[in-house]
Amino acid sequence: MEEDPASIFAHDPAAHTQTYAEGLDAVDPLRHLRDEFLIPTRADLNRSSRSDDGDAADAADAADAADGTLPCIYLAGHSLGLQPRRTAGLIQAHLRAWATQGVQGHFSAPPPPSSSSSLPSLPAFAQADAVVGARVASTLVGAHPAEVAIMQTLTANLHLLMATFYRPTRERWKVVLEGRAFPSDHYAVESQIRHHGLSPSDTMVLIHPPPPSSSSSSSSSASPFLLPTAHILATIDQHAPHTALLLLPAVQYLTGQAFEVERITAHAQARGIVVGWDLAHAIGNVPLRLHDWGLDFAVWCHYKYVNAGPGAIGGLFVHARHHATTGDGVASASAYPPAFRGWWGHDARSRFQMSNAWAPAAGAAAFALSNPSVLDLTALTAALDVFVCPGVDMAALRRKSLRLTAYLHFLLFADADADADVDDVVVDERRYYRVITPRDPAARGCQLSISIGGTTTTTTTTSTAMMIAHLLRRLKEAGVVVDLRREPDVLRVAPVPAYTRFVDVWRFVRVFRGAVEVVGEGDERGGAADGAGATETETEEDERVVKMGMVTS
């Protein structure tokens, strides 16, 4: 377990103050990065969620006049990252190239921007995916350029790679994945299994958190949410003789737990198992070294921590040892040639000769099907530029991320009993919530997941629902953007280091604790929502939200 950066804050009596947070921002070497993003204002958010009710609109207008120009506190980068300022300008440059060059733009790079412009030059349309792929490989995932292809979306790429790498036999047919996998991963695995004429019931091995008595867990660290590495390895060993594929996320979407990718990969491969990883919540969030770690394959999206926009184009990795051909067209000894072929996966040097004799491109590019959207690639180009601003790389972002998330954790439990036992999963029963993300900094990215309610004997299901409704209303009023996942009631909070300030974390915790604790203390007195200090209208609205299940933000 790494030294917890929160220990720095614990020894400073002023660490819980706004002045302290502002001081951390003042000396942050990455503070200039925030200016690279467009951050929605509170007025922007109010306009997007306003109803047709006249009184509500009047109240929102009044709020806008008071503080509508203030930026919101955006803590939802784990779901969708913010728009870089340079995105619009670069897309306009691409549109001008299309407008002025037409089909010639496929092979002729557009004129470079003026000397006064900060925008980079764009490649010819037909070269854009290779250029962007090389940047993703070197900047974000630690791979050789030929091991990365920028194409499709995450689930489509997962299907393409499973069609190639999942080769069930009479001896090996099982697929091991986590029991709480992101639904799209689960759907993809299940459908691939059925495609091979197999039954998911005896083919899918789901890894669930171990019970407290398990030998791969301990009573001090057992959690109904987390998967200890020892438990994962034990499950692999149990099913290894019959397992064809292991598929896991590098960072779990609900809990924010970061897995030991290198160790787990080596363990499974030593037992003859092909290993793939979903990097959706890892890329741009934690440092990755895919080539050195020896992954067989991986897939990811670019719209979360990479900030390439909603539904942005995805990416895939295939290790060099599996490439169908080298750059000289020589077959690899351990090749996994693509199961499906398309013209964009043809060798670029002869692609436009239009021969029906398929000659695969070298490396992961052979998995491409159709020519990718250059508009999407341009948005990704703008997003990547942020990662190479002066003084910026994944190591620098990770250093700030560790401190930001540690500060968030510290503030959530700042006045907890100093003599209380602190486990990997911290549960403070006096505060009606608990953090379900690992406390070890090495075992998490920037996200903390907070389970609301249910940590005290006096907290009921109804009061938890009321607490959540009241909390979301207060967060919205304060201009805070987060999200809540029902079943269980988990609030995911991601202080993304590229644009989140320490004072943003301080303000979030101030609103969060005030809202949760007021409702919780009222519930202990038998008052529930009445103890929240809400008006009669607000209490009625909270009750309506609970009944309708409208608890996402």
Side-chain angles (χ1 to χ4, degrees):
M1 178 172 177
E2 288 188 5
E3 180 182 359
D4 190 347
S7 61
I8 302 172
F9 310 124
H11 294 95
D12 193 323
H16 65 282
T17 67
Q18 180 176 355
T19 301
Y20 184 90
E22 292 170 342
L24 293 174
D25 288 322
V27 297
D28 173 19
L30 298 183
R31 61 186 179 278
H32 62 287
L33 262 190
R34 180 177 170 87
D35 295 333
E36 294 287 336
F37 293 88
L38 295 170
I39 301 174
T41 66
R42 298 184 187 187
D44 292 332
L45 298 177
N46 284 335
R47 277 192 292 270
S48 67
S49 59
R50 231 171 255 176
S51 68
D52 294 330
D53 181 79
D55 293 338
D58 290 342
D61 287 338
D64 290 352
D67 61 6
T69 60
L70 293 176
C72 73
I73 298 172
Y74 195 83
L75 300 171
H78 58 280
S79 184
L80 177 66
L82 291 177
Q83 182 184 139
R85 287 186 180 274
R86 59 189 72 196
T87 300
L90 210 56
I91 286 178
Q92 284 300 320
H94 164 66
L95 294 177
R96 282 194 299 272
W98 176 26
T100 59
Q101 299 188 47
V103 71
Q104 293 183 147
H106 276 99
F107 306 103
S108 300
S114 64
S115 58
S116 61
S117 173
S118 61
L119 297 176
S121 297
L122 291 173
F125 303 160
Q127 299 168 0
D129 58 330
V131 172
V132 174
R135 294 187 65 190
V136 170
S138 63
T139 305
L140 298 179
V141 299
H144 296 167
E147 294 176 316
V148 170
I150 305 302
M151 55 183 278
Q152 305 291 338
T153 55
L154 190 154
T155 305
N157 287 335
L158 179 56
H159 274 294
L160 289 171
L161 292 182
M162 282 196 66
T164 296
F165 283 91
Y166 177 50
R167 301 175 175 180
T169 66
R170 184 180 300 274
E171 293 75 26
R172 291 180 179 268
W173 71 93
K174 293 183 179 181
V175 181
V176 177
L177 66 160
E178 58 157 334
R180 203 188 290 269
F182 190 78
S184 199
D185 286 6
H186 190 104
Y187 303 155
V189 170
E190 188 174 73
S191 58
Q192 288 282 337
I193 288 171
R194 293 185 186 279
H195 178 72
H196 284 281
L198 301 173
S199 170
S201 63
D202 59 6
T203 303
M204 295 177 73
V205 177
L206 303 181
I207 309 177
H208 295 285
S213 59
S214 171
S215 60
S216 58
S217 69
S218 66
S219 59
S220 63
S221 61
S223 161
F225 297 97
L226 303 182
L227 297 175
T229 298
H231 178 60
I232 295 174
L233 301 185
T235 304
I236 292 171
D237 289 343
Q238 179 183 354
H239 297 276
H242 304 298
T243 297
L245 176 67
L246 170 70
L247 178 68
L248 291 174
V251 176
Q252 214 279 341
Y253 84 98
L254 179 67
T255 66
Q257 178 183 3
F259 294 109
E260 296 184 73
V261 176
E262 182 178 18
R263 182 182 174 190
I264 294 169
T265 297
H267 187 90
Q269 289 175 339
R271 286 148 183 79
I273 300 170
V274 173
V275 181
W277 291 87
D278 177 343
L279 308 179
H281 287 262
I283 186 169
N285 181 16
V286 296
L288 299 169
R289 302 201 314 275
L290 303 189
H291 178 83
D292 292 345
W293 292 345
L295 283 64
D296 292 302
F297 70 87
V299 294
W300 60 85
C301 57
H302 291 110
Y303 54 80
K304 299 178 186 296
Y305 298 104
V306 183
N307 312 299
I313 194 167
L316 61 81
F317 164 90
V318 176
H319 198 279
R321 65 178 176 273
H322 297 314
H323 292 174
T325 65
T326 66
D328 298 325
V330 179
S332 169
S334 57
Y336 275 78
F340 297 107
R341 300 174 179 182
W343 85 300
W344 212 254
H346 188 103
D347 189 336
R349 295 170 295 185
S350 57
R351 179 186 294 147
F352 285 88
Q353 293 177 7
M354 302 301 178
S355 169
N356 284 335
W358 192 67
F367 285 84
L369 299 179
S370 301
N371 51 326
S373 165
V374 181
L375 192 63
D376 284 351
L377 289 167
T378 303
L380 178 52
T381 297
L384 292 172
D385 285 348
V386 176
F387 288 87
V388 293
C389 284
V392 179
D393 56 22
M394 276 308 303
L397 287 165
R398 178 61 171 166
R399 285 193 296 270
K400 179 179 177 181
S401 178
L402 289 170
R403 296 197 76 199
L404 263 177
T405 302
Y407 191 54
L408 170 61
H409 192 283
F410 164 77
L411 291 176
L412 286 169
F413 300 95
D415 59 354
D417 183 357
D419 296 327
D421 290 334
V422 179
D423 299 330
D424 287 342
V425 179
V426 176
V427 179
D428 187 345
E429 295 189 356
R430 295 188 297 110
R431 288 187 176 78
Y432 321 106
Y433 58 84
R434 60 177 172 174
V435 171
I436 64 171
T437 308
R439 195 165 191 234
D440 180 359
R444 67 189 185 202
C446 73
Q447 173 185 324
L448 282 190
S449 298
I450 308 170
S451 178
I452 310 296
T455 64
T456 71
T457 56
T458 58
T459 306
T460 65
T461 301
T462 301
S463 63
T464 295
M466 293 298 296
M467 183 185 297
I468 290 169
H470 176 72
L471 168 63
L472 294 180
R473 175 161 53 82
R474 291 305 186 206
L475 290 173
K476 181 179 178 182
E477 290 170 354
V480 177
V481 181
V482 292
D483 80 343
L484 183 83
R485 289 286 169 258
R486 294 305 308 267
E487 304 297 335
D489 296 314
V490 173
L491 196 75
R492 299 187 299 170
V493 183
V496 178
Y499 47 75
T500 307
R501 301 171 299 183
F502 288 89
V503 75
D504 294 330
V505 169
W506 182 88
R507 288 171 177 159
F508 160 74
V509 174
R510 183 168 179 264
V511 176
F512 172 84
R513 288 183 57 165
V516 171
E517 291 176 3
V518 165
V519 175
E521 290 166 5
D523 186 45
E524 289 188 350
R525 295 192 300 268
D530 292 338
T535 66
E536 183 176 353
T537 301
E538 290 172 332
T539 299
E540 291 174 353
E541 173 64 13
D542 289 348
E543 292 173 347
R544 184 183 70 84
V545 168
V546 170
K547 290 177 181 178
M548 296 182 66
M550 297 168 55
V551 294
T552 56
S553 172

